[in-house]
Amino acid sequence: MKLTDELWTAIEPIYGRILDHPFLAGLTDGTLPRAAFRHFVVQDSHYLRDYARALAVCAAKAPGEDEVLAFANDAVGAIAAEQEMHADFLHAFGEDGAAAAAEPVLPTTRAYTSYLLATVYGGSFAEALGAVLPCYWIYARVGEELLRRSSPEPLYAKWIAAYGGEEFQAVVRRVLDLADRIGEDLSAAERRRVVEHFTTTSRYEWMFWDAAWQGEGWPV
């Protein structure tokens, strides 16, 4: 079995829960409260800063020059997305990036990025790839699915188009091809670790949307 087939099989129930989440339903029918979307955007800005660091570590551990360059470019792209797309969204709320950056990193974001960074720093390249992959792959699948429906709310339609569009889909296909090449040489034990990391960060993806939907804050 190809590694990507094994990975997706492991998270099919999680992905089903993601697609059924009211946050995504609200994006497509336009009923998502603006406060929930703002929560998501602010926390995603925090998340992407650490995700860029995780991708930079993947670049440092990558097996070949092409992969080093690709992950380094993706790290730059993650920061660019934080600076550009999120700034546009915050502008729609009459705010700027400085105000969002001053807001606290909330529990789910902190837990997700802490796990992500610990895995990429402490594990092999394959384990690092497994940990960062859901943010590529799940967003591509969600974007592809939601693009068929789009949204009557222009702000939400813009978010959907960013992840459902061909440019992002092509990036994800490149990372999936790499995962399958890497998977051919993994031992059974390392393959299990990759699946475990992939499954864990996929769960965090669901939790991230749910945190925005619930309006999560620090309880104390």
Side-chain angles (χ1 to χ4, degrees), residues 1 34 73 76 93 95 135 205:
M1 182 185 290
R34 284 262 179 141
N73 285 336
V76 171
F93 292 104
E95 303 176 32
C135 191
E205 288 293 335

Side-chain angles (χ1 to χ4, degrees), residues 11 64 138 197 218:
I11 69 151
I138 290 176
H197 294 312
W218 287 102

Side-chain angles (χ1 to χ4, degrees), residues 3 54 57-63 116-132 182 185-187 189-195 197:
L3 178 60
V57 177
C58 287
K61 293 187 173 186
L116 194 63
L117 290 171
T119 303
V120 299
Y121 276 109
S124 65
F125 173 73
E127 290 176 84
L129 182 59
V132 301
I182 293 296
D185 298 322
L186 296 180
S187 68
E190 187 165 34
R191 197 164 170 129
R192 284 194 298 271
R193 290 195 295 273
V194 172
V195 173
H197 294 312

